[in-house]
Amino acid sequence: MSLIDLGSPIPHLTEVGDSPFAYPISGHVPLSKDTSFTKRSFDEVALGRRTIYGGTPLTLKEISALLWRTAFCAQKQIAEHGRLIKRKPSISGGARHPIDILVVEKRSEGEHAVSLYDDVNHALLTLDVDKRALADLWNLALQASRGTESTLFWFVAQPQRTAARYENPDSLIWRDAGALLQQFSLVASALSLGCVPLGPTGNPQIEGIFNTRHTLAGVGGCFVSQLQT
């Protein structure tokens, strides 16, 4: 087989504008900022990283610690067209950071809650979405994880963020998704948590959850769990 040619990204001579997606936000949960350093060395983290199945859901404190080290916006500046340029732990083509992070938690059998990570204010924004489509995303992730059922993090791209800067932006967005997934895996290792990267994109489910097409794109995700000792 041959790879699909997504085209080579080329910066626009002049950046174009875009319209960000308006998420259906219904609540706000502030997270504690964890500025402490983990106790494990980088060698321990990098060489000891493994995909670990099983475990239990994360506490809010653990979710906070994970997101702080994977996706918090440490610096920001205003660029052309009033666009917010972010500096975050994970690399991103042109500092576009097109990927938003959903946090999905199981409340009871068939009942799930989803929040959007606010990377500027380090908070979770509760979302009011289609519950059936959200359950479909959970079940898709569950099928890909050997039954691991903990805290689900799903990556949702807004492609226009990267397209505003580059012609042929698709490969950059997929590379961003891979870099973010690796960041989650390494940080989970540093925090002694289990991480299961997942193969499905979840794109049809994301379109159903937010009742939109071609504006948002599912680009994968992972389960992260407390490890049983």
Side-chain angles (χ1 to χ4, degrees):
M1 63 168 288
S2 59
L3 292 176
I4 297 173
D5 185 0
L6 299 178
S8 183
I10 302 171
H12 295 303
L13 293 178
T14 302
E15 186 164 329
V16 299
D18 71 84
S19 300
F21 179 77
Y23 286 96
I25 299 168
S26 61
H28 174 273
V29 179
L31 299 174
S32 59
K33 295 181 178 180
D34 183 359
T35 57
S36 62
F37 292 102
T38 61
K39 297 179 180 179
R40 304 185 70 193
S41 71
F42 181 77
D43 283 349
E44 286 182 289
V45 170
L47 297 175
R49 188 219 62 80
R50 297 289 185 275
T51 296
I52 302 176
Y53 297 91
T56 57
L58 303 182
T59 65
L60 189 62
K61 183 178 180 179
E62 289 167 331
I63 291 173
S64 176
L66 182 67
L67 291 172
W68 177 262
R69 292 167 174 83
T70 54
F72 176 67
C73 177
Q75 294 179 320
K76 55 185 182 291
Q77 66 186 65
I78 303 298
E80 295 178 70
H81 294 279
R83 186 181 313 285
L84 184 64
I85 299 297
K86 299 177 179 180
R87 310 296 179 189
K88 302 168 68 172
S90 181
I91 62 173
S92 176
R96 299 291 100 177
H97 293 287
I99 298 174
D100 299 324
I101 299 173
L102 301 183
V103 182
V104 186
E105 301 174 273
K106 183 177 180 179
R107 297 304 192 201
S108 60
E109 195 61 41
E111 184 68 25
H112 306 84
V114 61
S115 301
L116 172 70
Y117 178 54
D118 177 350
D119 57 3
V120 173
N121 299 300
H122 193 53
L124 294 179
L125 306 177
T126 308
L127 300 180
D128 185 11
V129 302
D130 186 305
K131 299 296 186 183
R132 181 174 296 179
L134 182 61
D136 288 344
L137 177 65
W138 181 273
N139 291 332
L140 176 74
L142 199 60
Q143 291 170 10
S145 68
R146 300 184 187 176
T148 293
E149 196 169 24
S150 47
T151 303
L152 180 62
F153 297 84
W154 210 263
F155 305 156
V156 180
Q158 297 201 45
Q160 65 273 18
R161 289 183 192 161
T162 304
R165 182 71 179 91
Y166 294 95
E167 182 181 347
N168 301 325
D170 298 42
S171 72
L172 286 176
I173 295 169
W174 286 113
R175 281 179 271 181
D176 277 14
L180 185 57
L181 192 58
Q182 175 73 345
Q183 185 78 10
F184 264 79
S185 187
L186 287 173
V187 171
S189 177
L191 296 174
S192 298
L193 302 172
C195 180
V196 180
L198 302 171
T201 64
N203 189 56
Q205 289 75 18
I206 291 300
E207 290 183 345
I209 288 170
F210 295 106
N211 192 28
T212 183
R213 296 197 67 186
H214 310 305
T215 304
L216 302 176
V219 290
C222 58
F223 272 116
V224 182
S225 62
Q226 292 182 12
L227 297 179
Q228 299 171 336
T229 57

